[in-house]
Amino acid sequence: MVLDMSLFMRTSVCCVVLFSAISCLDLWDIGDTDLVRSYALDSTHTNKDVASKLCRAGRHATVLYGVFSTAEKVIFRNATRQQVQCHLNNNVHSTVFVVGAPRTEREYSILQKEAAMYGDIFTLSCKENMNEGKTYTYFKEALEQFPCFDFYAKVDDDTAFAPDKLSSLVQSVSRSTPVIIGRYQAFPTIDDPLFWISLYLNHGLRDMSWASHIRNFTHGQLYILNTGAITRWIGLKPTQLYGNEDMRTTYYMKLIGAEVINVHTVFHDHIDSHLRTPLRAPITNASLAVHRCKTIQVLLNAFASLCHI
């Protein structure tokens, strides 16, 4: 896409992008690489314990809900675990907390303690990251390590959701023909030069032209892929995974020809979200997922409303 910018603007953007890229590389090297590898390797044993619990002999379940988290977000994980009225774990579905490989001894200690106590920590083989492939790694490794599910959901940790209702929603959906389920709508800023400037600032000097093919995308608060979609995605052997995670997922779902099941407004932002987006709405009987619950109390209240309505 050609942007109508002056030479001065282009030069300024390039300078800032270069600085941003260098800064990101410096930040990315934080933590001892050998330590990360060691923790990641050790975490595979923890994942095996989770797998034996979730996919115990003879069990076949419908949905695995993977709540994206980071090591330090202990309070948010505990708040979600407390929602017993929401039936986060039953014979139909299960919930795990998805984290990247710990980078420090403190992170490792936090996650190992929770894994031993709750048995719901799923540690990926990649470093903890945002917009560097965590979503793809989750879907790939979840299917490989927990193969007893038909559907796999990616859930933001500031999203309250109703697993019983969601699991019922997918019951009639194909398991094999590639499908993505989520809130799908037009991308309002794709033709805005400022959007592209922001995109390059956030992702350095790497090629972002792939994003120009996305006219509609699936919002990231919660979406669900079936085994057919994940298998086809893995089959592409993707090597370019950087960029906004949810745009990347949409991009690859388009490449494999996945059917989009649009849930429309039953997935929405919290009405009190500080971001005044068109996605904000009050919780109703129809609500299935509520995003941007940025405080513990808001998250607890949203869960209570969703699972009691």
Side-chain angles (χ1 to χ4, degrees), residues 140-191:
K140 178 178 183 292
E141 295 184 359
L143 179 61
E144 292 171 345
Q145 297 182 44
F146 313 126
C148 59
F149 297 90
D150 294 321
F151 298 88
Y152 297 80
K154 175 252 181 184
V155 187
D156 281 353
D157 66 354
D158 62 346
T159 296
F161 61 104
D164 285 339
K165 296 177 183 178
L166 286 167
S167 295
S168 296
L169 177 71
V170 305
Q171 288 293 343
S172 60
V173 177
S174 169
R175 273 64 172 162
S176 55
T177 303
V179 168
I180 178 171
I181 304 166
R183 181 160 185 173
Y184 191 73
Q185 65 183 56
F187 205 150
T189 58
I190 197 69
D191 294 318

Side-chain angles (χ1 to χ4, degrees), residues 225-237:
L225 305 187
N226 65 356
T227 54
I230 301 171
T231 301
R232 290 281 296 277
W233 192 359
I234 294 171
L236 294 177
K237 295 180 169 50

Side-chain angles (χ1 to χ4, degrees), residues 215-285:
R215 292 286 159 176
N216 299 278
F217 83 114
T218 308
H219 284 279
Q221 67 262 59
L222 190 155
Y223 48 78
I224 305 170
L225 305 187
N226 65 356
T227 54
I230 301 171
T231 301
R232 290 281 296 277
W233 192 359
I234 294 171
L236 294 177
K237 295 180 169 50
T239 56
Q240 292 187 331
L241 296 169
Y242 62 84
N244 178 280
E245 299 273 358
D246 309 314
M247 289 173 63
R248 270 294 184 189
T249 300
T250 300
Y251 171 75
Y252 280 112
M253 290 302 102
K254 184 177 180 181
L255 280 186
I256 65 172
E259 176 189 357
V260 177
I261 297 179
N262 190 356
V263 300
H264 299 287
T265 57
V266 298
F267 288 8
H268 58 84
D269 288 352
H270 195 279
I271 189 64
D272 293 328
S273 169
H274 68 284
L275 288 180
R276 305 303 192 209
T277 70
L279 275 65
R280 290 191 312 148
I283 299 173
T284 68
N285 286 321

Side-chain angles (χ1 to χ4, degrees), residues 65 80-81 83-84 86-90 93-95 161 163 303:
Y65 296 100
T80 300
R81 290 185 182 110
Q83 307 313 303
V84 293
C86 292
H87 310 128
L88 295 174
N89 297 282
N90 57 28
H93 53 252
S94 298
T95 302
F161 61 104
F303 266 120

Side-chain angles (χ1 to χ4, degrees), residues 1-3 187 189-191 195-196 199-200 207-216 247-248 251 254:
M1 179 176 289
V2 178
L3 302 181
F187 205 150
T189 58
I190 197 69
D191 294 318
F195 164 77
W196 288 95
L199 203 62
Y200 277 94
D207 177 24
M208 301 301 295
S209 60
W210 57 270
S212 65
H213 300 286
I214 301 173
R215 292 286 159 176
N216 299 278
M247 289 173 63
R248 270 294 184 189
Y251 171 75
K254 184 177 180 181

